[in-house]
């Protein structure tokens, strides 16, 4: 069940020019609510009329040993820039957890699971990878970015599985887009989970469909309320229009109208 909580910033690390990693915990040492991979939080950003509406941010990771929620933020506007300026000790109001989650396969540990993240879409893949590892799976990660400096949290990802990368300028990993990476040609995956720019996810959905691979995508439609009231996040699906904030953000590609 979703809750409105004040959390305290324990750390805010600037990872590069436009990304920061914020770690938050409860103010009274009570345990954080249970959160599943793919779910998101709505952050209340004070201090500007432009940020009147909460901002949706994916659960990047839950550090159970420290009772910490991690948020990976790309500063692109007023709200995200203000978040990147948070200082240790600041109190932040969040609505959480929101949305559905990625499907964790039941058993059969032999399954080949590929987690693909592009840009800030790598954020939910870290927590998903850690949960899959906890269940005994060995996920493979494929992370794409413009350039080497935009590939983030690589050491964290490497704790949970093998990591492959692409950069558009060829400065790290294979040059090109994630869909060009050789791992897609060399390994037969049973499921793909992805989050990133829509054109990237659509290309992955086409690849998965052509190769009969189960595929879940996490949509990042523009949101306001985050809990099904304002209807600004609507996506057309085979079952009609749905709210991404409540029916998603995670959808199986069979439900979307992206592939025939
Ligand atoms: C479910 C979900 C999970 C998300 N997870 C993360 C995350 O983990 N980390 C992160 O940094 N961001 C994430 N986002 C995107 C984030 O919510 C937006 O970048 C943020 O709301 C922009 O707020 P702002 O005030 O900084 O920018 P604004 O001033 O509101 O907007 C700046 C520019 O960004 C565009 N924009 C606004 N919202 C989005 C969006 N949802 N997608 C693409 N462009 C947008 C605007 O059209 C505008 O051009 C997520 C979005 C959704 C829906
Ligand atoms: S964000 Fe308001 S209905 Fe989805």
């Amino acid at each position: 069940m979703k809750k409105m909580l004040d959390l305290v910033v324990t750390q805010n690390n600037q990872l590069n020019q436009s990304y920061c990693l914020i770690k938050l915990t409860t103010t009274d040492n009570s345990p954080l609510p249970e959160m599943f991979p793919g779910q998101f939080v709505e952050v209340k950003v004070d201090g500007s009329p432009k940020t009147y509406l909460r901002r949706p941010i994916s659960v990047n990771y839950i550090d159970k040993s420290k009772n910490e929620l991690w948020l990976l933020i790309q500063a692109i506007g007023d709200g995200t820039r203000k978040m990147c300026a948070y200082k240790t000790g600041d109190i932040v109001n969040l609505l959480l957890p929101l949305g559905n989650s990625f499907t964790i396969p039941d058993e059969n540990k032999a399954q080949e699971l590929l987690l693909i993240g592009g840009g800030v879409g790598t954020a939910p893949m870290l927590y998903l990878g850690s949960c899959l590892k906890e269940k005994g799976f060995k996920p493979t990660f494929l992370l794409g970015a413009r350039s080497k400096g935009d590939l983030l949290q690589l050491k964290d990802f490497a704790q949970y599985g093998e990591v492959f990368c692409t950069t558009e300028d060829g400065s790290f990993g294979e040059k090109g887009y994630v869909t060009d990476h050789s791992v897609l040609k060399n390994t037969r995956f049973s499921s793909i989970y992805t989050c990133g720019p829509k054109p990237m996810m659509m290309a992955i959905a086409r690849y998965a469909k052509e190769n009969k691979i189960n595929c879940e995508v996490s949509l990042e439609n523009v949101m306001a309320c985050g809990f099904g009231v304002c209807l600004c996040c609507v996506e057309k699906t085979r079952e009609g229009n749905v709210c991404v904030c409540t029916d998603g953000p995670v959808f199986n590609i069979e439900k979307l109208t992206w592939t025939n």
Side-chain angles (χ1 to χ4, degrees):
M1 201 178 68
K2 67 175 180 294
K3 284 185 178 180
M4 194 182 288
L5 273 185
D6 279 338
L7 296 184
V8 59
V9 176
T10 55
Q11 262 187 63
N12 185 0
N13 295 327
Q14 192 73 39
L15 303 182
N16 67 17
Q17 254 190 338
S18 45
Y19 281 86
C20 70
L21 179 66
I22 303 173
K23 300 183 181 180
L24 302 131
T25 192
T26 50
T27 50
D28 57 1
N29 292 325
S30 59
L32 286 165
E34 189 171 22
M35 286 173 255
F36 297 102
Q39 288 193 298
F40 64 99
V41 304
E42 282 266 28
V43 181
K44 186 167 181 289
V45 188
D46 293 322
S48 159
K50 283 193 200 160
T51 57
Y52 173 73
L53 296 168
R54 288 172 180 267
R55 299 300 196 254
I57 301 294
S58 304
V59 173
N60 173 232
Y61 183 68
I62 303 290
D63 184 341
K64 288 181 187 147
S65 66
K66 293 186 178 161
N67 194 35
E68 274 179 347
L69 161 67
W70 295 11
L71 304 178
L72 179 71
I73 310 288
Q74 182 184 24
I76 58 161
D78 219 39
T80 45
R81 274 198 292 272
K82 281 201 161 60
M83 287 182 222
C84 281
Y86 286 156
K87 302 268 178 299
T88 302
D90 282 354
I91 303 292
V92 185
N93 184 269
L94 293 99
L95 197 57
L96 81 176
L98 297 170
N100 67 355
S101 55
F102 289 105
T103 310
I104 306 277
D106 283 339
E107 276 303 317
N108 188 2
K109 307 280 164 62
Q111 289 192 53
E112 293 277 3
L113 308 177
L114 179 64
L115 281 55
I116 307 181
V120 76
T122 59
M125 294 301 149
L126 184 63
Y127 187 41
L128 175 60
S130 75
C131 293
L132 287 169
K133 171 110 190 262
E134 211 175 83
K135 295 274 180 197
F137 294 96
K138 287 184 188 158
T140 300
F141 299 99
L142 175 54
L143 310 176
R146 289 215 175 111
S147 193
K148 185 180 177 182
D150 301 318
L151 284 165
L152 305 169
Q153 302 185 293
L154 293 186
K155 280 189 186 152
D156 295 311
F157 279 108
Q159 289 180 60
Y160 306 116
E162 197 169 0
V163 183
F164 297 95
C165 298
T166 57
T167 48
E168 287 172 35
D169 64 3
S171 52
F172 193 84
E174 292 186 16
K175 185 173 180 177
Y177 295 122
V178 285
T179 40
D180 304 322
H181 199 282
S182 55
V183 72
L184 293 175
K185 295 174 191 95
N186 300 338
T187 312
R188 170 78 209 166
F189 290 100
S190 44
S191 282
I192 296 178
Y193 304 88
T194 184
C195 184
K198 197 164 181 178
M200 180 200 96
M201 290 198 288
M202 290 179 93
I204 292 164
R206 281 194 296 275
Y207 167 84
K209 182 83 179 175
E210 277 161 26
N211 291 281
K212 298 187 174 52
I213 301 170
N214 176 55
C215 180
E216 289 185 349
V217 300
S218 181
L219 302 188
E220 294 202 344
N221 292 21
V222 172
M223 292 184 185
C225 73
F227 51 87
V229 174
C230 69
L231 304 183
C232 79
C233 63
V234 164
E235 178 79 18
K236 191 176 166 198
T237 69
R238 290 181 199 277
E239 292 154 22
N241 290 340
V242 300
C243 286
V244 172
C245 65
T246 47
D247 289 282
V250 178
F251 293 91
N252 193 291
I253 56 165
E254 294 301 331
K255 191 168 176 182
L256 299 174
T257 54
W258 293 3
T259 53
N260 292 325

